[in-house]
Amino acid sequence: RHKFWETQPVGQFKDLGDASLPEGPIEPPTPLSEVKQEPYNLPSPYEWTTCDLDSEDMCNEVYVLLTNNYVEDDENMFRFNYSKEFLRWALHPPGYYKSWHIGVRVKTSKKLVAFITGVPARIRARDTVVVMAEINFLCVHKKLRSKRLAPVMIKEVTRRVHLENIWQAAYTAGVVLPTPVSTCQYWHRSLNPKKLIDVGFSRLGARMTMSRTIKLYKLPDQTITPGFRKMEPRDVPAVTRLLRNYLKQFVVAPDFDENDVEHWLLPKEDVVDSYLVESPETREITDFCSFYTLPSSILGNQNYSTLKAAYSYYNVSTKTPWIQLMNDALIVAKRKDFNVFNALDVMHNETFLKELKFGPGDGKLHYYLYNYRINHVLRPSELGLVLL
Ligand code: YNC
Ligand code: MG
């Protein structure tokens, strides 16, 4: 059934439910001298290229490939449209390896036709912090699908990860592969219901009029929580402490240090937004929320070309109730002209989704680990990890 994945060190379907298998690495690392030194062979029309996202031209080529060929919804109405600034941010975290940003070109025309990336991350699984690669942006041009290019790309990124003495990886996908660590669901909170209905993202509810729908999703212009403000560079130490303490409770979560927080959570215009609550009395930072900007192209609509979506990222509540904190996040997202606010049912998100009028989406998002076994399928609320 999975000719490629059956050969890989990942949890296999036949082993699901076998709690006698040891948790942890499936295969031990091999000596670096035994890692294949040359790239895998591609079919002869194609060649490997390493993508330097600092180059405006390369970044543009990657952007165009993804804009036209990356992930679509099941009905092919929308396609992710990651911005160039977002791609640079996503691919240049602390300690990144340029060699993990891998492209495939047509030899004759030099056209970029496929892409896959990794970035390093420390991820804790239960009590063990493991250096992993987060694999993302796997994309093969629409005209080259079903030619088994993806397995070669996955093997090549694996080889380049191994060359850095890293043996585990984390990734998410909308498709079911052997075998999910957890299966999550997206929820959507309309901020501009009129547009969402016009473009076919949502439908007018039964016995609802447009004006009642608009009223239902109306939000105040100003945030409610005293001390709610944008995160600043001086907040990095306090946010790191708050987040580290929060993420302890999840079975799988990133092990963020101050450098990671500075990179992943300091606000970056049109890429990532972060807010916190600073207690007006004690000046203590008690709560935090963040979201990233990921528009989708709207395919074949006369009136609109882009859906502006905010995606819930890392949030922490210790004093402000979850519902109030995330309602303030919705208020700022609305003020920044996002059309919809999306959130997975990970971490504590279920405590606010229904109350804040999020509705369940159709697609699922499956989380995977490569060469690391976790013996039970996790509930989404046991996951403390959000990948971009
Ligand atoms: C997928 N998304 O099952 P079997 S997510 C992993 N992730 O293998 P072909 C995938 N594997 O079942 P196509 C996958 N999608 O025979 C398919 N596969 O064992 C498997 N879509 O290859 C599939 N981006 O080349 C099958 O398929 C084999 O031409 C078939 O190409 C697939 O970034 C794809 O959804 C996804 O661009 C590139 O459809 C193409 O269809 C496409 O014949 C639109 O491939 C965009 C899209 C995927 C987004 C993502 C995470 C990727 C994770 C990859 C796995 C990483 C493993 C860890 C490596 C480091 C290890 C260390 C240490
Ligand atoms: Mg292919």
Side-chain angles (χ1 to χ4, degrees), residues 140 144-150:
V140 168
L144 302 179
R145 298 279 169 87
S146 309
K147 295 173 181 293
R148 309 300 294 183
L149 269 182

Side-chain angles (χ1 to χ4, degrees), residues 285-345:
I285 292 171
T286 56
D287 313 278
F288 177 81
C289 60
S290 59
F291 52 86
Y292 60 86
T293 298
L294 169 50
S296 280
S297 305
I298 303 171
L299 309 176
N301 186 280
Q302 305 289 40
N303 302 316
Y304 296 102
S305 61
T306 334
L307 193 66
K308 200 177 170 202
Y311 285 75
S312 174
Y313 197 28
Y314 291 96
N315 310 304
V316 184
S317 140
T318 70
K319 292 272 156 58
T320 308
W322 276 110
I323 292 175
Q324 184 180 323
L325 178 69
M326 295 310 294
N327 195 54
D328 279 345
L330 293 176
I331 291 167
V332 299
K334 170 73 198 179
R335 209 165 53 206
K336 287 173 174 274
D337 209 37
F338 287 94
N339 306 138
V340 62
F341 191 103
N342 300 328
L344 289 163
D345 52 0

Side-chain angles (χ1 to χ4, degrees), residues 55 58 96 102 169 189 215 230 255 296 306 355 380:
S55 145
M58 267 273 37
Y96 79 91
I102 307 172
R189 205 297 184 178
K215 190 169 154 208
K230 199 168 155 151
D255 180 62
S296 280
T306 334
E355 178 98 8

Side-chain angles (χ1 to χ4, degrees), residues 69-343:
N69 300 278
Y70 200 49
V71 177
E72 300 182 5
D73 65 304
D74 291 338
E75 281 144 31
N76 312 103
M77 296 173 69
F78 309 99
R79 191 186 306 124
F80 283 147
N81 185 205
Y82 288 90
S83 70
K84 287 186 255 184
E85 267 322 294
F86 190 110
L87 292 170
R88 286 209 179 91
W89 170 70
L91 297 177
H92 289 171
Y96 79 91
Y97 302 96
K98 204 172 81 180
S99 61
W100 293 7
H101 305 158
I102 307 172
V104 172
R105 292 186 189 283
V106 176
K107 279 179 188 160
T108 51
S109 64
K110 303 293 168 194
K111 183 184 159 81
L112 185 73
V113 291
F115 191 58
I116 189 168
T117 67
V119 294
R122 290 181 316 284
I123 295 180
R124 183 181 49 74
R126 303 206 198 273
D127 296 334
T128 314
V129 176
V130 182
V131 179
M132 298 196 191
E134 292 178 349
I135 306 298
N136 203 349
F137 304 114
L138 168 60
C139 182
V140 168
H141 192 285
K142 285 183 179 228
K143 295 201 165 145
L144 302 179
R145 298 279 169 87
S146 309
K147 295 173 181 293
R148 309 300 294 183
L149 269 182
V152 189
M153 301 188 66
I154 293 166
K155 284 192 277 188
E156 181 60 15
V157 75
T158 301
R159 189 184 71 83
R160 296 187 193 194
V161 170
H162 286 169
L163 286 173
E164 305 300 339
N165 201 20
I166 294 172
W167 305 88
Q168 272 74 34
Y171 49 103
T172 57
V175 293
V176 178
L177 303 164
T179 55
V181 164
S182 185
T183 294
C184 301
Q185 200 180 14
Y186 268 112
W187 290 66
H188 310 284
R189 205 297 184 178
S190 299
L191 301 175
N192 183 346
K194 166 91 169 57
K195 174 168 169 181
L196 294 178
I197 291 166
D198 285 350
V199 303
F201 184 88
S202 32
R203 278 201 294 263
L204 205 54
R207 283 164 266 103
M208 283 291 278
T209 62
M210 188 61 85
S211 56
R212 278 187 65 202
T213 305
I214 291 167
K215 190 169 154 208
L216 176 67
Y217 292 115
K218 212 163 171 50
L219 286 161
D221 293 317
Q222 299 296 324
T223 58
I224 289 149
T225 311
F228 187 92
R229 63 168 173 83
K230 199 168 155 151
M231 182 188 176
E232 298 175 19
R234 64 185 163 101
D235 301 315
V236 165
V239 168
T240 304
R241 284 192 300 266
L242 185 70
L243 189 59
R244 286 185 66 82
N245 190 51
Y246 177 68
L247 291 175
K248 276 178 188 163
Q249 64 193 294
F250 303 105
V251 178
V252 173
D255 180 62
F256 281 145
D257 65 17
E258 290 187 8
N259 290 324
D260 300 318
V261 166
E262 175 176 318
H263 179 81
W264 292 120
L265 294 169
L266 255 195
K268 209 175 180 49
E269 183 145 317
D270 298 328
V271 173
V272 62
D273 281 282
S274 299
Y275 291 83
L276 49 75
V277 181
E278 178 183 283
S279 160
E281 292 83 36
T282 68
R283 301 272 125 191
E284 216 196 336
I285 292 171
T286 56
D287 313 278
F288 177 81
C289 60
S290 59
F291 52 86
Y292 60 86
T293 298
L294 169 50
S296 280
S297 305
I298 303 171
L299 309 176
N301 186 280
Q302 305 289 40
N303 302 316
Y304 296 102
S305 61
T306 334
L307 193 66
K308 200 177 170 202
Y311 285 75
S312 174
Y313 197 28
Y314 291 96
N315 310 304
V316 184
S317 140
T318 70
K319 292 272 156 58
T320 308
W322 276 110
I323 292 175
Q324 184 180 323
L325 178 69
M326 295 310 294
N327 195 54
D328 279 345
L330 293 176
I331 291 167
V332 299
K334 170 73 198 179
R335 209 165 53 206
K336 287 173 174 274
D337 209 37
F338 287 94
N339 306 138
V340 62
F341 191 103
N342 300 328

